[in-house]
Amino acid sequence: YPFTTLSPNLGVAEAPGQAPGEEEVFVLADVPGLIAGAHAGAGLGHRFLRHVERAPILVHVVDASRPDAVEAYRTVRNELEAYKAEVAAKPEIVAANKLDLPGAREGLQRLHVAVPDREVIGISTVTNEGIASLLAAVARLLSELPAEEPSAAGGVRVYRLAPEEDETFQVEAMADGVYRVRGKRVERLVAMTDLVSEEGVEHLQRQLDRQGVFEALEGAGVEVGDTVQIGEWETEWGV
């Protein structure tokens, strides 16, 4: 399921440099997946698109094993274009992921055909196939960018880890047969989910179960047919 990353994560990557023995070092930001409507805020899209704005280049990761890999790619491209033209115009590499799964190599070929103006690189984060090629392509593309103007203030940019998200939640009996679950993490999980997707809702339910939400609801007395509300999501218990 594409929406397992709930907040951007920074990491440092290394790739072979142009001279023997040299290495190129750069920072990668893993940004949560975008859904249709992200430019208007769906799935917390505005928050994540602001992170994309700061990146000089984009690596667009696509699940190549999906039959609709090309459509999924275009959905995100449409969101970038609807958000800001300058974001959509950033240099981009397409990383066709999950080559270890059936159908992914066919998906890779479809992406090659669909986006001939992009460098499309097949990868697998399970087997590491193509990862070295992807890192080398990122390093090469970064080296081709115009040099940044030095900051007038000078100094060093410092990245700090954000505090861990509060995972606590509360279950409130609002009225006969109506229960509301409140908590930053559970409400964030709902906001990140495509609630019109059956797969998305099933994934959300598994996440909530692991968080202990279902057990807490049962402890609060929820019964089959009762209404459960979390954020903007409302569902009937056990139906």
Side-chain angles (χ1 to χ4, degrees), residues 64-66 98-106:
S65 70
R66 293 175 52 161
K98 301 190 180 180
L99 288 189
D100 51 287
L101 294 183
R105 295 186 187 277
E106 291 79 3

Side-chain angles (χ1 to χ4, degrees), residues 37-118:
H39 73 279
L44 304 182
H46 270 165
R47 182 182 303 179
F48 303 138
L49 283 165
R50 284 197 294 270
H51 287 278
V52 174
E53 279 190 77
R54 303 186 185 110
I57 70 171
L58 305 178
V59 177
H60 189 156
V61 182
V62 182
D63 180 353
S65 70
R66 293 175 52 161
D68 62 343
V70 172
E71 290 75 12
Y73 168 80
R74 287 175 174 156
T75 294
V76 174
R77 286 300 309 174
N78 290 340
E79 292 304 317
L80 295 178
E81 290 163 5
Y83 178 65
K84 285 186 180 179
E86 55 267 35
V87 173
K90 289 177 181 288
E92 179 188 67
I93 296 170
V94 180
N97 192 21
K98 301 190 180 180
L99 288 189
D100 51 287
L101 294 183
R105 295 186 187 277
E106 291 79 3
L108 170 61
Q109 293 306 314
R110 291 196 298 272
L111 284 164
H112 273 297
V113 173
V115 285
D117 58 335
R118 298 284 195 274

Side-chain angles (χ1 to χ4, degrees), residues 26-212:
F26 47 88
V27 175
L28 292 170
D30 177 22
V31 178
L34 302 175
I35 63 174
H39 73 279
L44 304 182
H46 270 165
R47 182 182 303 179
F48 303 138
L49 283 165
R50 284 197 294 270
H51 287 278
V52 174
E53 279 190 77
R54 303 186 185 110
I57 70 171
L58 305 178
V59 177
H60 189 156
V61 182
V62 182
D63 180 353
S65 70
R66 293 175 52 161
D68 62 343
V70 172
E71 290 75 12
Y73 168 80
R74 287 175 174 156
T75 294
V76 174
R77 286 300 309 174
N78 290 340
E79 292 304 317
L80 295 178
E81 290 163 5
Y83 178 65
K84 285 186 180 179
E86 55 267 35
V87 173
K90 289 177 181 288
E92 179 188 67
I93 296 170
V94 180
N97 192 21
K98 301 190 180 180
L99 288 189
D100 51 287
L101 294 183
R105 295 186 187 277
E106 291 79 3
L108 170 61
Q109 293 306 314
R110 291 196 298 272
L111 284 164
H112 273 297
V113 173
V115 285
D117 58 335
R118 298 284 195 274
E119 184 170 8
V120 181
I121 300 174
I123 65 169
S124 167
T125 57
V126 172
T127 66
N128 283 336
E129 179 181 354
I131 298 298
S133 297
L134 176 61
L135 292 176
V138 171
R140 183 180 67 252
L141 195 53
L142 286 171
S143 70
E144 295 171 356
L145 295 176
E148 289 187 0
E149 293 293 330
S151 170
V156 177
R157 180 177 295 176
V158 177
Y159 294 93
R160 292 184 174 85
L161 291 176
E164 291 190 9
E165 190 170 44
D166 185 2
E167 296 189 1
T168 61
F169 61 87
Q170 293 179 328
V171 176
E172 301 177 22
M174 306 296 292
D176 286 344
V178 179
Y179 293 82
R180 173 164 284 278
V181 182
R182 302 182 190 274
K184 287 185 178 180
R185 182 169 178 80
V186 294
E187 291 179 28
R188 184 179 178 85
L189 285 170
V190 169
M192 283 288 296
T193 299
D194 181 0
L195 297 173
V196 300
S197 161
E198 181 178 347
E199 181 186 8
V201 173
E202 288 176 354
H203 177 76
L204 172 63
Q205 290 172 335
R206 289 193 296 271
Q207 293 272 57
L208 294 174
D209 190 20
R210 283 197 291 268
Q211 293 287 320

